[in-house]
Every structure is written in structure tokens, then in C-alpha cells.
Amino acid sequence: MGAQADHDIEGLSSAAICDAMAQRFDHTAHILDLVTPTPGEVLFGQAATIRYFPNRRDHHSETDRFDQMLDAVTGAGHVLVLGAGGHPDQALAGGKKVARIEAAGFTGIVTDGRLRDLEEIAEFDLVVYCGGETVRAAGDDVTPLAANVPVEVDGVGIVPGDWIFADGAGAVVIPANAVADILADARLIEEKDAAAVTAARLRLK
């Protein structure tokens, strides 16, 4: 777990973290409409990235480069972020590739692309948030192009080392050099919001 264990996220939500980000930064940092095979599971960790790119036979071979890209990124305790390369309806991985991601030590996956075999993936020891499920195999229109590079996920820029927090409401991307402050701010927001809700409900009684 390493650095992840140094950050207390107990009781925090993506909404409060998004509010905390908005207080300090003016860029979009939240990703919505993600699907997970394990509702209720929270994902938190530093990002490693793989960028997908539209297939071009003049640019690279048709050989699936997924294993090559996976070997190039740090797995242990990290969240693997897959940028769909502008094709969010394409499958980026299925049960077999996700099993290899799990074996590499990743704690989870975030992507704006689709995944196959979500029922099978639900049994794996990692947390997944994706753009949806598909029955088509990966590789039709996009292929892994580069690892450890900035990627775009649903319009949000993510660089390796960013922290990713995802729950049922959405995902939030936190710059590495601000994670402690953002989590502290989010906790204050949670406490103030809880106090405001309690006060409002007491007035109804």
C-alpha cells in the first residue's frame, strides 16, 4: 500500500473532494457516468497510465501491444488509467487482460472506454470504474500506444502520479503535490455539510 496508507480517506466522498479541488484549482477534475461491477467499492491510488490511439497501419503494426505497455508501468498499489483515444465505445480490455492487470499488482482501473466481462471482473481483487460494458473484443479501432504519459479521460487530463479517488458518484483527479491539502479540505467540507444537514433536519422536528 505504501503512500496510499499515509492518506486517510475514511468517510470522504467524491463530491467533497471535487468541492475541495474547485477551491484550489480552476480546471475540471471530475469524471462522471462511470460504471463499476462492484458497487460500493471506493478506489484510491496513484495513477499509472496507458494511452490508446486510433488504429493506423502506417503508424504501427496490428500486433496487440498491451503486454508491452503493461510491462512499462508501475503496478504495485497503483490505479491503471486507460485513455480511450477518443473512442469511448471501444473495448480496451476484458477478463483476460484485467487478470494480467491484477497480477501486475494494480489496485484498480479507471477508463472512459468500455470493458468486457464485468461479471467476471467483479470477482477479481481490484476495483474497476469504466465507461460501460461491451461484448466486442478489444482492438477494433484503437490500440495501446504509449505508457507513462499524460492521458485524457472524458475530457479530464491525468498525468502519471496524480491521485485518483472514485466512488459510485464519480471519480476525481488530484495533483500529487496537493493530495494532503485536498483531502484535509474535503474532510472539513464533509464535516460542515454534515452539521448543516443535521441542523436543517432538527428544525423540521
Side-chain angles (χ1 to χ4, degrees):
M1 300 290 284
Q4 180 177 336
D6 295 336
H7 298 299
D8 180 16
I9 61 168
E10 182 70 27
L12 296 182
S13 66
S14 58
I17 293 174
C18 186
D19 287 349
M21 282 291 297
Q23 291 177 355
R24 291 176 178 265
F25 300 97
D26 60 3
H27 64 270
T28 301
H30 62 281
I31 305 165
L32 302 178
D33 299 324
L34 296 175
V35 171
T36 178
T38 53
E41 293 285 346
V42 173
L43 176 61
F44 180 67
Q46 282 191 282
T49 63
I50 295 178
R51 179 162 63 93
Y52 283 67
F53 191 78
N55 289 337
R56 280 185 50 171
R57 294 182 183 178
D58 65 317
H59 185 66
H60 52 73
S61 72
E62 296 182 8
T63 303
D64 188 344
R65 303 174 63 194
F66 181 80
D67 285 337
Q68 178 185 347
M69 296 297 104
L70 191 61
D71 288 343
V73 293
T74 300
H78 283 65
V79 175
L80 185 60
V81 179
L82 307 176
H87 289 258
D89 288 333
Q90 286 294 302
L92 303 188
K96 290 180 290 187
K97 287 182 179 177
V98 174
R100 299 204 291 272
I101 292 169
E102 177 190 41
F106 288 94
T107 59
I109 301 169
V110 169
T111 180
D112 53 345
R114 294 178 181 267
L115 300 177
R116 297 179 73 186
D117 311 317
L118 288 189
E119 184 175 350
E120 178 183 8
I121 292 170
E123 303 299 322
F124 292 0
D125 190 22
L126 77 176
V127 181
V128 172
Y129 284 89
C130 63
E133 188 170 15
T134 183
V135 296
R136 287 293 296 272
D140 284 350
D141 291 313
V142 294
T143 193
L145 178 69
N148 295 318
V149 295
V151 298
E152 177 186 333
V153 174
D154 196 29
V156 176
I158 302 174
V159 299
D162 282 344
W163 286 82
I164 309 294
F165 181 100
D167 60 17
V172 186
V173 182
I174 310 168
N177 61 2
V179 63
D181 290 336
I182 292 298
L183 295 182
D185 290 349
R187 190 162 302 284
L188 291 176
I189 290 169
E190 295 280 15
E191 293 170 356
K192 290 178 180 178
D193 287 352
V197 168
T198 298
R201 297 190 70 189
L202 285 175
R203 286 197 293 269
L204 295 175
K205 296 180 179 180

